[in-house]
Amino acid sequence: MKVTSTAREIWQRATAPADWSRRRVVGESVLAALLGLLGGWAETGHGWPRMLLVGLAVAVLTPARRAFPASVLIAAGALTGSTEGGAFLLLSLAGWSAGARIEGVLRALAAYSASFLCFLGLGLGLLSWPEPLLLTAILSTFTFLAFVVVPGLANRYWKQRRTLLQTLQQRNAQLLRERQMIAGQARLRERQRIAQDMHDSLGHQLALIAVQTGALEVDRELTGRQREAVGVLRQASVAAMQELREVVGILRDGTAEEEPPVSRVVAGIDALVESAVAAGMRVRLERSGEARPLAPAADHTAYRVVQEGLTNAAKHAPGAALDVRLQYEPDSLVVEVVNGPPPVRGLLRAESVSGGQGLTGLRERARLVGGMIFSGPAEDGGFRLAGLLPYGSPAEREGRGEGPRGGRTTFVEGEDDFRGQTGGGTPGEGGAVIDRLDPREEFKDIMSPKKSRGCLVGCGVALAVLLALVLAVVVGLGALMKEAEKGTVDPEVYQSATVGEPEHDVRHRLPPGSMLITADVKKKLPANPPGAQCTVLLSSEISGDLSTDLVYRFCFRDGKLIEKREFRVAS
């Protein structure tokens, strides 16, 4: 059972859907085939069976590195050390991939160390000639660090950098949302305070007006005309109290009504005009075009335009004639209220009370529904108020390409949401507020103690590897220079040696020789004389032909120099 569960777990890791999209399968297949062919081609000198085995092993391990990075890294190190370099590209690729895929610094360090030991141990154990072990170990270490460890560290750093940037982006988006939520709740508390004040003050005053006008309406001493005017005042006070209750509810809840009351939409403009006529105003209503439905907010805005126009005319131009026009255009509704000059200029102007906020509020209402408001003097000395209100909702106009954002509200304003990374919503809604906006605290959360220790360990390991790499480069270059001195001889020394001269005198003038420098050259030279021991050295003089090397061979037998020869060997 344990074996079965282990095999099932390995299969699930190897076939994880997140790691094997269609595009990735194609790319990994091509890469595995290419590395397999190169690996087999590098073993051409050892027969077809070995070529096939090495190529197949490289092709199988190449895609397996995604699911088993540590195991493939160790296997690639062993395969590279036991071959003639056929798996070296796989080892470098496995080092790059394992840097980002092995979780934990200690696990990564253990995997790279095991891979290096396999690479170095098998490489030294399969040497076919007595090469200096120290120099070979230094060069192997330098190669492993430069082509396996350094790519792994680079990939690991790149992954950590991407993760940190993504985390910072998420934190930034969270901070922006929290800031807007705090501001929204502050506005909601202020609205609730204003709603309470309005309910306590304005509600009381309007209730008194309604009661007083109701009592006055049934007074027997009033004439019919006066009783009719008092009735209009009572209806206006009752309507004002109803609207006040609705406004207070909106302020307390923080949300507007989905559908405004029927009495306060375009269909209620007739009743609004009739009330104005009953109050003694000269109002004429005109309609033109084919009536079309508006969105609820635009419908209510049209009503408010007419209401504001009639109110302003009553305050600033009492007795003036008014024209209310509703013109249905193909793409929008034009609402217009035009009044002529007042019969007596200055009448009641000093007593009228104006807050100066009516037109400002109208413009904001129209802007929210995608329309606009125009107000200004008319040609005959009167005043003109007009509103242009499009049909349909903002979302529908966005779908037709008529709006910039489709009326979508977001937690973050445009100038703050510089990455466009926050979702929509209404400020002040959506749960509790996390009151924690200090960036230093956020950075502490990102760099938690566990992550900080891991980061410090990773930085320490990277620094140690870098120092080891620099040290290996310095030591390796020094060793190579020493080996070069041991394996080269000046042409004058070659000319000074004579056949028959004692071996001791000749060797005293010659360097000891280097198997590392002359190992490949010896294979290309003819066989040594029978019973002779020969020393092969390269010429220290650089020839004009860089494709060949000048090689000197000194052969000794019975304590004397029996032969010295000069060869041109292809480099």
Side-chain angles (χ1 to χ4, degrees):
M1 293 297 294
K2 185 176 181 180
V3 176
T4 304
S5 61
T6 303
R8 185 183 298 110
E9 181 181 356
I10 293 175
W11 175 255
Q12 291 176 353
R13 287 183 57 187
T15 59
D19 287 341
W20 297 106
S21 62
R22 182 177 302 178
R23 181 177 179 182
R24 183 162 291 167
V25 168
V26 174
E28 290 292 332
S29 300
V30 173
L31 181 61
L34 180 60
L35 293 183
L37 290 176
L38 293 176
W41 177 76
E43 303 295 322
T44 52
H46 299 277
W48 285 102
R50 179 165 175 170
M51 291 174 57
L52 292 177
L53 288 176
V54 172
L56 182 62
V58 171
V60 171
L61 290 176
T62 297
R65 78 188 192 281
R66 304 188 64 88
F68 311 100
S71 301
V72 172
L73 179 62
I74 298 173
L79 187 61
T80 304
S82 59
T83 59
E84 295 293 335
F88 185 76
L89 291 178
L90 171 64
L91 177 61
S92 183
L93 179 63
W96 163 268
S97 181
R101 293 183 175 274
I102 298 179
E103 299 292 339
V105 177
L106 295 180
R107 290 185 59 189
L109 182 60
Y112 278 92
S113 300
S115 178
F116 171 70
L117 292 177
C118 293
F119 170 75
L120 182 62
L122 292 176
L124 294 179
L126 296 179
L127 291 177
S128 59
W129 38 275
E131 184 178 359
L133 295 181
L134 178 60
L135 181 60
T136 303
I138 292 175
L139 293 178
S140 299
T141 302
F142 169 73
T143 302
F144 190 86
L145 290 175
F147 295 97
V148 182
V149 177
V150 171
L153 288 176
N155 196 20
R156 192 174 190 87
Y157 163 76
W158 185 251
K159 179 187 177 183
Q160 290 177 349
R161 182 177 180 273
R162 289 199 308 268
T163 304
L164 180 61
L165 287 178
Q166 293 173 359
T167 304
L168 290 176
Q169 290 173 0
Q170 294 173 359
R171 293 288 181 175
N172 178 60
Q174 180 182 355
L175 289 176
L176 293 175
R177 287 194 298 269
E178 291 174 359
R179 186 179 68 180
Q180 291 297 329
M181 292 168 66
I182 292 173
Q185 287 203 354
R187 288 194 294 269
L188 182 59
R189 289 193 297 267
E190 184 64 17
R191 286 198 299 264
Q192 291 175 346
R193 186 188 64 80
I194 295 174
Q196 187 65 38
D197 292 342
M198 292 177 63
H199 178 271
D200 295 342
S201 59
L202 294 180
H204 175 70
Q205 298 297 333
L206 289 175
L208 290 178
I209 293 174
V211 171
Q212 294 295 330
T213 53
L216 185 61
E217 187 178 10
V218 298
D219 192 345
R220 297 180 179 180
E221 296 182 0
L222 296 179
T223 63
R225 179 68 176 176
Q226 292 173 336
R227 185 172 286 106
E228 183 179 356
V230 172
V232 171
L233 291 176
R234 183 182 59 81
Q235 293 177 0
S237 62
V238 172
M241 288 187 62
Q242 181 181 357
E243 291 190 13
L244 178 62
R245 284 194 296 269
E246 294 172 356
V247 170
V248 169
I250 292 174
L251 288 175
R252 284 178 175 173
D253 298 338
T255 56
E257 297 175 341
E258 291 292 334
E259 296 287 344
V262 179
S263 60
R264 291 190 280 117
V265 294
V266 173
I269 292 180
D270 292 328
L272 185 63
V273 171
E274 292 176 0
S275 299
V277 172
M281 301 178 65
R282 295 183 296 162
V283 185
R284 182 179 59 179
L285 176 62
E286 298 180 4
R287 299 176 185 269
S288 61
E290 182 179 356
R292 294 179 56 180
L294 284 83
D299 208 1
H300 184 54
T301 302
Y303 177 88
R304 289 300 187 190
V305 170
V306 176
Q307 186 183 50
E308 182 68 17
L310 295 177
T311 302
N312 289 342
K315 289 193 297 183
H316 303 290
L322 288 94
D323 290 328
V324 178
R325 303 188 185 95
L326 301 178
Q327 184 175 352
Y328 291 91
E329 300 290 344
D331 57 350
S332 58
L333 170 65
V334 179
V335 183
E336 189 176 23
V337 180
V338 181
N339 63 268
V344 180
R345 293 188 178 273
L347 182 61
L348 294 179
R349 188 175 297 271
E351 300 178 3
S352 63
V353 178
S354 177
Q357 301 298 321
L359 294 179
T360 302
L362 271 184
R363 290 190 177 90
E364 180 63 17
R365 285 177 179 270
R367 185 190 67 82
L368 292 177
V369 299
M372 62 181 65
I373 296 295
F374 170 80
S375 61
E379 296 180 356
D380 57 357
F383 192 82
R384 178 172 178 263
L385 175 63
L388 181 66
L389 306 174
Y391 303 125
S393 64
E396 294 173 351
R397 294 196 302 277
E398 172 68 14
R400 298 193 299 265
E402 300 175 4
R405 291 179 59 89
R408 177 171 172 259
T409 58
T410 62
F411 281 112
V412 184
E413 299 296 337
E415 60 270 15
D416 293 330
D417 191 13
F418 58 92
R419 290 187 182 271
Q421 55 193 357
T422 56
T426 303
E429 300 178 354
V433 175
I434 304 174
D435 192 5
R436 180 168 50 93
L437 299 179
D438 189 352
R440 294 172 296 181
E441 296 297 327
E442 294 296 325
F443 191 73
K444 288 180 182 178
D445 286 347
I446 297 172
M447 303 301 294
S448 61
K450 183 177 180 180
K451 296 180 180 179
S452 299
R453 288 193 296 270
C455 182
L456 291 177
V457 173
C459 293
V461 172
L463 183 58
V465 170
L466 182 60
L467 293 177
L469 181 60
V470 173
L471 181 61
V473 170
V474 173
V475 174
L477 290 177
L480 283 177
M481 293 179 65
K482 290 182 178 179
E483 290 295 320
E485 292 177 358
K486 294 179 181 179
T488 58
V489 64
D490 191 273
E492 296 180 357
V493 176
Y494 172 78
Q495 297 296 336
S496 65
T498 58
V499 177
E501 187 177 356
E503 180 180 356
H504 178 269
D505 295 341
V506 177
R507 288 192 180 277
H508 182 73
R509 300 196 300 270
L510 297 179
S514 173
M515 296 298 297
L516 179 65
I517 300 299
T518 60
D520 292 336
V521 175
K522 286 182 178 181
K523 300 177 183 179
K524 302 175 183 178
L525 298 180
N528 296 338
Q533 294 181 353
C534 298
T535 299
V536 178
L537 301 171
L538 296 178
S539 174
S540 62
E541 185 178 276
I542 300 177
S543 62
D545 187 5
L546 298 179
S547 62
T548 59
D549 292 326
L550 182 58
V551 181
Y552 301 128
R553 186 173 72 177
F554 301 87
C555 296
F556 302 93
R557 186 174 57 197
D558 299 332
K560 294 182 180 181
L561 177 65
I562 65 171
E563 180 187 77
K564 69 170 188 176
R565 294 185 62 180
E566 178 181 320
F567 301 93
R568 287 282 180 177
V569 179
S571 57

